[in-house]
Amino acid sequence: MSYTYYLDTHRHTFKADELAIRPIAFSDATTTPPPASSPILYANVHQGRLTLRRQKLAGIDIAGVKFPTSSAKMYIKIAGHRTTLTHSFVLVDARGRSTENAKPKRSRWRKRILDGSRGCYVGELPDGTVLRWEAAGPKEDPDVAKKYKTRAEKMMPKLRCVLVDGRGASVELLGEMMKSNDVVRLMRGGGLQGDSGMLGVYVLLGFVSLFERARSRDKRRAETEWEVDFTFDGDGGGGDGGDGGGGGDGGGGGGD
């Protein structure tokens, strides 16, 4: 079973951006905006911080995220427990299964990644569960990706979150963020309610924070370029875990 959410975002110039997380049918995600539904969560995003709550006004914060643009780490805090997300790299096999590759093979002089590794973020939850946010699907040429125009074309996955075993290999798909940047599909824990929904909350916060972090570093590129290596600085980008230098495959301004 999966759950689909529309990230209904209202941007502001002088105060925090407001985000309402609304459940929708995945078939409705191709319309802009999707049919109205009651939000189940609300968030404020401002200056590298995100707070999450159940009620729009005067609600108690149930989670917080710090995603500094100058650091290769992000921090999610829920119920007093802080989870650190750190940048790494993965290799993906022909079956789509990913395995962590913390030290990718690089060129001698320009330090370009040569073995196809792509950037990711990894975090261990308080109960020992290890999650990884990484690229979804094959790497795309940025010029080709920009040609996608329709809402339906933007409903292809951009990021995915997977459960990771002790060897650093992906064993279960937990969620996906679409290329539109405003639709998320969650699997286990995707109801976002009660103790069983906490896993989904972690997955959701990872998606939202990665995009917002990239957007805070380069708004235009974060919103128009869908190649996830820009988001992660996995190759060619100056920044967390990147190769140094601007442009390139990963983009110079993206969040890791």
Side-chain angles (χ1 to χ4, degrees):
M1 183 176 182
S2 64
Y3 303 79
T4 304
Y5 296 97
Y6 175 60
L7 309 180
D8 192 355
T9 306
H10 297 271
R11 302 290 181 186
H12 301 287
T13 302
F14 300 111
K15 63 178 183 178
D17 293 335
E18 298 174 304
L19 175 64
I21 298 157
R22 300 200 283 111
I24 60 172
F26 188 74
S27 59
D28 290 333
T30 56
T31 62
T32 306
S37 60
S38 299
I40 64 169
L41 290 170
Y42 298 87
N44 284 350
V45 182
H46 189 56
Q47 297 183 342
R49 293 175 181 267
L50 179 152
T51 56
L52 187 72
R53 58 190 183 280
R54 298 283 181 191
Q55 299 177 349
K56 184 176 182 178
L57 300 175
I60 299 174
D61 292 346
I62 62 172
V65 185
K66 293 174 63 177
F67 46 93
T69 59
S70 59
S71 170
K73 294 182 179 181
M74 297 168 54
Y75 308 94
I76 298 176
K77 189 174 183 180
I78 299 178
H81 300 287
R82 190 173 83 160
T83 297
T84 302
L85 276 57
T86 57
H87 183 272
S88 188
F89 294 90
V90 293
L91 280 171
V92 183
D93 63 23
R95 298 173 298 172
R97 187 178 186 187
S98 61
T99 303
E100 188 169 4
N101 183 34
K103 295 183 178 180
K105 183 179 180 181
R106 297 177 181 266
S107 61
R108 182 174 181 181
W109 300 113
R110 298 191 66 192
K111 301 301 182 182
R112 293 287 186 185
I113 294 174
L114 301 177
D115 59 7
S117 294
R118 300 172 73 181
C120 68
Y121 263 94
V122 183
E124 182 175 345
L125 306 189
D127 63 359
T129 301
V130 179
L131 305 182
R132 184 166 64 224
W133 291 260
E134 59 189 36
K139 189 172 183 178
E140 292 179 325
D141 184 298
D143 292 332
V144 174
K146 288 178 184 178
K147 294 180 181 179
Y148 296 134
K149 299 294 184 182
T150 69
R151 180 73 179 180
E153 289 174 321
K154 296 178 183 179
M155 284 302 105
M156 294 182 290
K158 167 184 178 176
L159 298 174
R160 70 180 185 181
C161 181
V162 296
L163 182 67
V164 179
D165 66 15
R167 300 171 297 167
S170 60
V171 294
E172 182 182 347
L173 178 65
L174 298 177
E176 297 172 319
M177 185 176 194
M178 305 306 158
K179 292 181 178 180
S180 63
N181 299 313
D182 60 6
V183 173
V184 169
R185 189 166 69 98
L186 304 178
M187 288 71 173
R188 181 151 61 97
L192 305 179
Q193 301 290 332
D195 292 341
S196 62
M198 282 297 101
L199 179 62
V201 171
Y202 277 105
V203 175
L204 174 69
L205 288 175
F207 286 140
V208 175
S209 299
L210 283 169
F211 172 68
E212 292 295 336
R213 184 175 184 274
R215 190 179 183 278
S216 67
R217 294 178 71 176
D218 193 317
K219 175 182 175 181
R220 180 188 64 82
R221 297 195 65 188
E223 294 184 344
T224 61
E225 294 190 15
W226 299 333
E227 173 51 47
V228 72
D229 275 352
F230 161 65
T231 307
F232 290 115
D233 283 0
D235 184 16
D240 315 341
D243 297 329
D249 296 335
D256 250 87

